[in-house]
């Protein structure tokens, strides 16, 4: 080992789902939306003034926070925007989790949380979900340095009620509680309505899933202006210009198209419910999902074998080689046609 090597940070990074380089893949592995983004994106592309690229973008990202504020009936001071919610949550970890006490998040959850905690040297504890993959509220009643959980949870798809979220908030009024709502629009009730009552609540959402814009990288936090200001101070201490001109311009144009957004959601929810029936009929078991994916296991067939078989058929689903969930597949809801191809392949696999 060279002497300089001992000063290199050693970290186990987050491993995102595969983005296959080959063509014609049915991609059900990273919870992307199978439908195109709102038509306003095409129009925005046409009207984007490329001379804007000469200039640094607005560090306050006002066009975007103003549109978000209009959509939610809040003020622009309630919004922090970032390069996907991954960026937003990363800033939130740095801003809010500075206690000597461990932060709390579930043992089965978005695997980026422990990576950020390690990266920023934040202590953490991971209370176990119950046998039905539900979060046990009592586990979050003890003293801690902050709380974060996704609702619905990932990779399980399990939704907790707003009463549950409020119970967590009621028991954690001295720390920041972050609710990661990447999938809330697929059937849950947002904690946004609790913001008036709990000034320590931060809700995080994204354009990546429900709004079909994973490639644009826009995420946002909603909270009281004290929290948002604190996050901005951290952001301005690292990089003032996280949001690029094209994301600001195009992103700001799609938010107002509520109809397209809701129609797309309705299609995915419909396909999800059909998928549940089909998978059940094939002998799969899964916790009920209120997201755009299903976390399924089969008593007769190993998840890893199914995963590998599907890959040979150019159907990508997500497999986690993680103890406790290593016999599960996380299957993103695609279009009806894509799901039919999946069912066909699964039937072939089981027949052979
Ligand atoms: C997808 C996802 C995110 C991050 O999405 P971005 O593309 O960075 O906005 C955050 N949390 C959960 C639980 C997710 O599944």
């Amino acid at each position: 080992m060279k002497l300089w090597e001992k000063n290199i940070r050693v970290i186990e990074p987050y491993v995102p789902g595969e983005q296959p380089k080959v063509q014609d893949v049915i991609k059900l592995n990273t919870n992307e939306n199978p439908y195109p983004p709102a038509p306003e994106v095409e129009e925005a592309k046409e009207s984007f003034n490329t001379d804007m690229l000469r200039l640094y973008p607005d560090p306050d990202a006002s066009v975007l926070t103003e549109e978000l504020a209009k959509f939610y009936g809040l003020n622009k001071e309630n919004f922090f925007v970032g390069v996907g919610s991954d960026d937003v949550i990363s800033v939130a970890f740095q801003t809010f989790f500075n206690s000597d006490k461990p932060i709390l998040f579930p043992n089965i959850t978005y695997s980026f949380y422990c990576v950020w905690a390690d990266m920023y040297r934040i202590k953490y504890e991971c209370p176990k979900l119950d046998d039905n993959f539900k979060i046990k509220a009592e586990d979050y009643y003890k003293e801690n340095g902050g709380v974060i959980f996704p609702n619905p949870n990932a990779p399980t798809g399990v939704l907790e009620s707003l009463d549950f979220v409020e119970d967590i908030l009621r028991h954690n009024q001295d720390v920041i509680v972050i609710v990661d709502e990447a999938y809330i629009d697929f059937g849950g009730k947002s904690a946004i309505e609790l913001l008036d009552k709990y000034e320590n609540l931060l809700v995080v959402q994204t354009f990546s899933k429900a709004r079909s814009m994973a490639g644009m990288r826009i995420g946002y936090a909603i909270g009281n202006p004290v929290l948002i200001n604190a996050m901005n101070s951290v952001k301005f201490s690292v990089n003032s210009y996280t949001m690029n001109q094209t994301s600001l311009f195009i992103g700001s144009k799609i938010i107002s198209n509520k109809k397209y957004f809701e129609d797309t959601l309705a299609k995915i929810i419909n396909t999800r419910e059909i998928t549940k029936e089909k998978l059940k009929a094939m002998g799969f078991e899964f916790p009920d999902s209120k997201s755009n994916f299903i976390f399924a296991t089969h008593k007769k067939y190993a998840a890893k074998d199914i995963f590998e078989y599907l890959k040979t058929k150019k159907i990508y689903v997500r497999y986690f080689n993680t103890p406790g969930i290593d016999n599960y597949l996380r299957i993103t809801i695609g279009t009806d046609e894509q799901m039919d191809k999946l069912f066909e392949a699964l039937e072939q696999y089981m027949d052979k």
Side-chain angles (χ1 to χ4, degrees), residues 14 30-32 82-89 109-113 116 148-155 180-183 204-209 213-220 292-293 330:
Y14 173 74
T30 53
N31 297 343
E32 287 140 334
V83 186
S85 50
D86 286 341
D87 179 38
V88 174
I89 301 169
T109 195
Y110 190 37
S111 52
F112 226 139
Y113 298 160
W116 286 313
I148 180 167
F149 59 93
N151 195 36
N153 197 3
D180 177 356
E181 295 190 336
Y183 303 102
V204 178
Q205 297 192 356
T206 175
F207 280 38
S208 296
K209 277 71 183 230
M213 298 246 279
M216 193 107 240
R217 311 305 300 130
I218 299 176
Y220 51 101
N292 68 335
F293 55 87
R330 193 195 66 191

Side-chain angles (χ1 to χ4, degrees), residues 89-126:
I89 301 169
S90 160
V91 171
F93 267 58
Q94 294 175 76
T95 310
F96 303 122
F97 296 159
N98 297 293
S99 161
D100 298 333
K101 297 182 194 105
I103 62 165
L104 304 177
F105 51 83
N107 67 326
I108 299 171
T109 195
Y110 190 37
S111 52
F112 226 139
Y113 298 160
C114 56
V115 176
W116 286 313
D118 286 338
M119 179 75 187
Y120 304 133
R121 302 186 170 131
I122 300 163
K123 281 188 252 170
Y124 60 96
E125 281 175 21
C126 301

Side-chain angles (χ1 to χ4, degrees), residues 225-244:
V226 177
L227 302 193
I228 300 302
N229 277 337
M231 290 180 77
N232 273 315
S233 296
V234 169
K235 168 189 143 159
F236 288 125
S237 307
V238 178
N239 177 1
S240 312
Y241 306 110
T242 53
M243 306 305 290
N244 67 68

